[in-house]
Amino acid sequence: MRSLFRRPFSTKSPRSRVSLRRFDRTPMVGLACLTFVLSLSVVSSTAEAGLGLGQSSAVGGVMIDPEGNVRAATPQEAKEMAELVRAAIQGPVGELAEVTDKRVISLARLQQALREMHETGGRIDDETAFLAGLQRIEYVVVDKENNDLLLVGPAEPWEVRADGAVVGKNSGGSVLRLDDLVTAFRSVEAARRDGGIRCSIEPTTEGRQRLRGFLKNVKLRPGQNPAFLEAGMREAFGPQMITLDGVATDSRFARTLVAADFEMKRIAMALTESPVKGLPSYLEMAKNKRQSAAQSPRWWMACNYDPVARDADGQVWKISGQGVKTMTEEDIVAADGSVASDGRQDPLALKWANTMTEKFDALAKERPVFRDLRNVMDLSVVATLITQENLDQQSGIDLNVLRGGDSLIETASFDMPKSLTPQCSFIHGRAGWTVTASGGVSINAFGIVDNQVEQPELKTLVSVSSASDSDRWWWDGE
């Protein structure tokens, strides 16, 4: 490994605080793709939060308000959002407009750049907000010579999609974001305390009881379409509760978890058309199959990584794997509305889960919220790896800025409802009704980091060269 850049600049006490503030306070905020207008600035610590990865009114096809009302964005709303984002974002130029397999980010220099923005009252640019176009983090390199940690991975220029999502021009994948990196670092200890980062959108016990009573009085004539009952069934079911653990509930990171869970359920339950050939809804797969009113399939998305590889000295670490997989098990619904699970998997639900895992890359390209989900999983694994293996202490870098110890950066704060209006579908099979409504996201980054293998050849495989501009916090390696 070669790392030839100079040592970090001297550090001064910040006179102001960089913050990721709201762009507006409209009641409707974009949920699915979670692309926010980049009106980036630095303000004094007494002013309202400032580094504005601001909120949008509708991005990615889904909208949600603080009361939990969810609906699809209209084509006009999506068009207006895309225009707003394009007006706020500058296109990449120079080396940022090039595709590379090995873009290197110096965390020491990135932190110093943020400190200097405080000192000068400068503006956080798109280059910083989008982490120089990074698509994934494949390597973490300990650079003891320069008291630094390096993040290395593929990068490409970004563009704004028709729905306002900011993605790579070549891959179509959502770019990694500074906001999510900061949240990942600040969530490590909370995730350790809570047993991981989790999101769940669940019906209430009372709602299940009301639905059970409603269905007892339903008598369908042979061949009758039960679709006319769905409005009443949803009213009986009532709101679904949102639960978040291990991460700040008002962060963009958390909204990504909720958005991805919400969109997965919409596809599974045929509430929106699947954008990927070969990935039908679960309802389509289960049509005319035997159903049980006492059982309900649950799906959730979890981490899907290879063992973390390291060289013999623990100086070069490699993170690989698809990143996300879909899992399932059966909820057993009791007469009182309570739910238990014995780990059993319905074969059709498992088939749907496996199909979504197989089609995940194609799905993430069509619905960027799923790539956003993989991005926050990647960043959570990276932040946990650095913390768990004490890589910052090994390299001699102080990550106080990214970890928030000096209050230099304040992440954006977004309204997160505690409940949603019911999003569920119903199947009337030969043996009764099945309700599909539950799901979630689980990020066990500690489990990923603990699963390690040694690859001595990593020491020679990863070579990074110095930046041509000594002030720059990123460059392209060999």
Side-chain angles (χ1 to χ4, degrees), residues 31-34 199 254-264 369-370:
L31 179 62
C33 289
L34 303 172
C199 163
R255 293 180 69 82
T256 297
L257 305 184
V258 174
D261 181 16
F262 178 82
E263 195 67 8
M264 175 188 65
V369 66
F370 293 110

Side-chain angles (χ1 to χ4, degrees), residues 280-414:
S281 70
Y282 169 75
L283 266 66
E284 183 178 344
M285 293 172 61
K287 188 176 181 181
N288 298 322
K289 303 295 183 181
R290 185 175 181 84
Q291 308 296 336
S292 170
Q295 292 183 299
S296 176
R298 167 196 300 270
W299 295 279
W300 70 95
M301 289 172 287
C303 294
N304 185 24
Y305 292 87
D306 301 328
V308 176
R310 58 178 173 80
D311 68 356
D313 299 325
Q315 305 301 293
V316 181
W317 299 76
K318 180 181 179 181
I319 301 168
S320 60
Q322 179 169 281
V324 185
K325 62 183 175 183
T326 305
M327 304 180 70
T328 185
E329 64 182 19
E330 284 291 304
D331 281 345
I332 310 301
V333 184
D336 62 358
S338 61
V339 174
S341 177
D342 59 6
R344 294 182 183 179
Q345 297 174 317
D346 172 73
L348 276 177
L350 179 60
K351 182 178 179 180
W352 189 87
N354 290 340
T355 302
M356 182 174 173
T357 299
E358 294 167 5
K359 301 290 184 179
F360 184 83
D361 287 343
L363 182 61
K365 186 173 181 179
E366 295 297 325
R367 300 285 170 86
V369 66
F370 293 110
R371 182 61 176 268
D372 279 325
L373 175 64
R374 193 185 76 177
N375 285 352
V376 299
M377 285 186 174
D378 281 358
L379 294 173
S380 182
V381 170
V382 168
T384 301
L385 170 66
I386 291 171
T387 303
Q388 189 81 340
E389 298 296 329
N390 299 312
L391 300 188
D392 51 338
Q393 297 178 26
Q394 290 186 43
S395 66
I397 186 177
D398 182 352
L399 292 175
N400 213 34
V401 173
L402 292 175
R403 287 195 170 121
D406 58 4
S407 300
L408 191 151
I409 299 177
E410 181 178 336
T411 57
S413 178
F414 301 99

Side-chain angles (χ1 to χ4, degrees), residues 34-95:
L34 303 172
T35 302
F36 304 111
V37 176
L38 302 178
S39 173
L40 307 182
S41 60
V42 178
V43 296
S44 70
S45 59
T46 58
E48 183 184 358
L51 185 147
L53 287 176
Q55 296 173 218
S56 65
S57 10
V59 178
V62 180
M63 299 181 73
I64 181 171
D65 67 17
E67 285 70 43
N69 299 310
V70 182
R71 64 174 175 84
T74 66
Q76 183 60 31
E77 287 168 338
K79 179 181 177 182
E80 291 173 356
M81 191 61 243
E83 291 173 351
L84 185 60
V85 174
R86 288 194 185 97
I89 294 177
Q90 296 181 351
V93 297
E95 290 182 62

Side-chain angles (χ1 to χ4, degrees), residues 26-29 31 62-72 201-202 234 238-242 255 258 262 265-266 415-424:
T26 56
M28 301 299 291
V29 291
L31 179 62
V62 180
M63 299 181 73
I64 181 171
D65 67 17
E67 285 70 43
N69 299 310
V70 182
R71 64 174 175 84
I201 304 177
E202 303 283 346
R234 287 193 177 90
Q240 295 172 249
M241 309 308 294
I242 298 174
R255 293 180 69 82
V258 174
F262 178 82
K265 288 162 65 174
R266 280 168 50 83
D415 291 322
M416 180 69 74
K418 295 182 179 180
S419 64
L420 297 177
T421 50
Q423 297 290 315
C424 49

Side-chain angles (χ1 to χ4, degrees), residues 125-168:
D125 53 21
D126 304 339
E127 172 184 321
T128 308
F130 293 135
L131 292 175
L134 209 61
Q135 286 282 310
R136 292 205 81 174
I137 298 173
E138 295 181 338
Y139 300 95
V140 177
V141 181
V142 176
D143 179 15
K144 292 183 178 180
E145 179 184 351
N146 295 287
N147 302 121
D148 203 353
L149 282 172
L150 310 177
L151 308 182
V152 186
E156 58 190 74
W158 56 83
E159 64 180 1
V160 181
R161 282 181 22 146
D163 60 4
V166 182
V167 300

